[in-house]
Amino acid sequence: MNPKETLKAHILKTATLNDKEFDYLFSYFKQQSFKKGQVVISEGDKVDHEYFVISGCLKAFFINDEIKMYILQFAMPTWWTSDYGALYNHTRATISVDCISDAEVLCLSNDDREKICSEIHQAEHFFRWRTNRGYLASQKRLLSFMNNDTKARYEELLAMYPQLYNLVPKHLIAAYLGVSRETLSRLYNAQK
Amino acid sequence: MNPKETLKAHILKTATLNDKEFDYLFSYFKQQSFKKGQVVISEGDKVDHEYFVISGCLKAFFINDEIKMYILQFAMPTWWTSDYGALYNHTRATISVDCISDAEVLCLSNDDREKICSEIHQAEHFFRWRTNRGYLASQKRLLSFMNNDTKARYEELLAMYPQLYNLVPKHLIAAYLGVSRETLSRLYNAQK
DNA sequence: TGCGGAATGTGATGTACATCACCTAAGTCC
DNA sequence: GGACTTAGGTGATGTACATCACATTCCGCA
């Protein structure tokens, strides 16, 4: 499926737009290609776009003072990613985004999103529901963090996204789970 | 400030509604009073309302298999609370909500919210931004969980909401931080 | 094709936290 | 106002994880 059809199918799941409206909306998106390892948003950047993933896999991550990385999100096809804190509050990026594999994305500016949302009620409806799903996912992950040990969270992650096992190096999985790579290694190499 | 004015001021911060539109929107809210300890949503309930806090403090929490409680949110005046997962997906409550103190709330059904959102574009706009803020807060808390130790998270919480220190028993603070009450007690009673 | 860096495995050791057990003080209810 | 419950403090002990150190394997690239 091409980028336009992918986005269309994605949006029509939650909003009702006719072809003309969708074409108008789509005209604000720019397609971009990235190579594996390429940086999309770097800490300190001015952030004014968000990204809809067509193919490949990106990661959104935070690096703390001790140069330790925590991954907030693996962004797979049909997922959206950016530093939303910086995007909405017009502050510099604290979250970085880069590419785990070659990737195709559709890119939309914050201003254009707000313009579309104010012009097309159903577009605003779509973005409300998209954020909603993100909120629920984040809350679920928070609960899992408090309630489950590392092993349970690891199995939960792989059950939800089996592709990650082959696609993503283990030290990045560890950075998503919030444990050291050594601990993760010991976990799934335990004899028992 | 009375409930109606409180809600109005809250909504007008992010949306543009004239008096007639706001009065119409407000007509869907029902006012409710709760006593300290009273239960608003109990695990297993059918959930069809969300709650806007006028006064007092509620908590939204999860209880795991070992009867350990984790607090997702302390809901203070002008905050919204519910089991949003259950509310949006029409499933039974896994999150419970009850009152830490006597409380006044305005209550809105899921159906009515969706009706209002489809009728008034600016209402949809408001609810998009509300969810947005929730999403960003949740993501921030997730990062804090991965990056900071308990002491730092405790100080972060009290710096952000100083009222909690007197309003909320310490074992509930511990349940919010995701540590045992013993650990929290030792933390701030340490001599050094 | 072979070199250098990245990814991964594994042992030794330290530490933050949980858990259990028990104690005291402060509500709260008939 | 005494009895019972709830909040909170503190010691002893166990454990899941981090950290450091080093070995090994993999893999892109000049």
Side-chain angles (χ1 to χ4, degrees), chain A residues 46-62:
Chain A
K46 198 156 158 292
V47 182
D48 28 45
H49 291 80
E50 59 182 310
Y51 303 88
F52 176 74
V53 181
I54 298 296
S55 67
C57 182
L58 287 69
K59 67 175 195 282
F61 60 100
F62 172 78

Side-chain angles (χ1 to χ4, degrees), chain B residues 24-190:
Chain B
Y24 174 71
L25 178 149
F26 186 72
S27 73
Y28 286 100
F29 283 80
K30 279 168 292 174
Q31 187 166 352
Q32 275 188 278
S33 296
F34 290 107
K35 286 283 162 201
K36 177 177 175 174
Q38 217 177 325
V39 173
V40 179
I41 296 173
S42 187
E43 195 198 323
D45 281 0
K46 198 154 158 293
V47 182
D48 29 43
H49 291 79
E50 58 183 311
Y51 303 88
F52 176 74
V53 181
I54 298 296
S55 68
C57 182
L58 287 69
K59 67 176 195 280
F61 59 100
F62 172 78
I63 304 225
N64 75 359
D65 303 338
E66 292 93 46
I67 323 295
K68 247 174 89 168
M69 176 177 67
Y70 296 102
I71 294 181
L72 280 166
Q73 184 199 21
F74 292 115
M76 320 269 277
T78 78
W79 292 36
W80 298 77
T81 193
S82 187
D83 177 347
Y84 283 102
L87 192 64
Y88 289 122
N89 300 319
H90 307 290
T91 54
R92 297 275 159 172
T94 55
I95 307 294
S96 304
V97 175
D98 67 16
C99 298
I100 293 178
S101 67
D102 292 359
E104 295 283 321
V105 305
L106 292 173
C107 145
L108 176 67
S109 80
N110 194 60
D111 291 348
D112 288 341
R113 173 177 23 72
E114 291 304 314
K115 180 167 187 287
I116 295 165
C117 279
S118 73
E119 287 172 355
I120 306 176
H121 188 159
Q122 279 292 308
E124 185 118 49
H125 183 73
F126 166 76
F127 281 106
R128 175 163 72 91
W129 278 89
R130 184 201 59 174
T131 305
N132 235 287
R133 278 189 288 263
Y135 174 67
L136 293 180
S138 172
Q139 192 161 284
K140 196 173 160 209
R141 189 169 167 204
L142 189 63
L143 258 189
S144 177
F145 238 95
M146 299 204 271
N147 191 27
N148 300 130
D149 64 9
T150 301
K151 188 169 188 185
R153 294 208 312 285
Y154 174 66
E155 280 157 10
E156 189 178 62
L157 177 67
L158 288 192
M160 199 145 26
Y161 312 108
Q163 344 61 305
L164 285 181
Y165 187 83
N166 292 314
L167 187 61
V168 173
K170 308 259 180 288
H171 70 274
L172 294 184
I173 305 262
Y176 181 91
L177 296 174
V179 294
S180 68
R181 56 168 201 83
E182 292 96 329
T183 294
L184 182 63
S185 165
R186 276 184 260 263
L187 252 184
Y188 59 77
N189 287 327

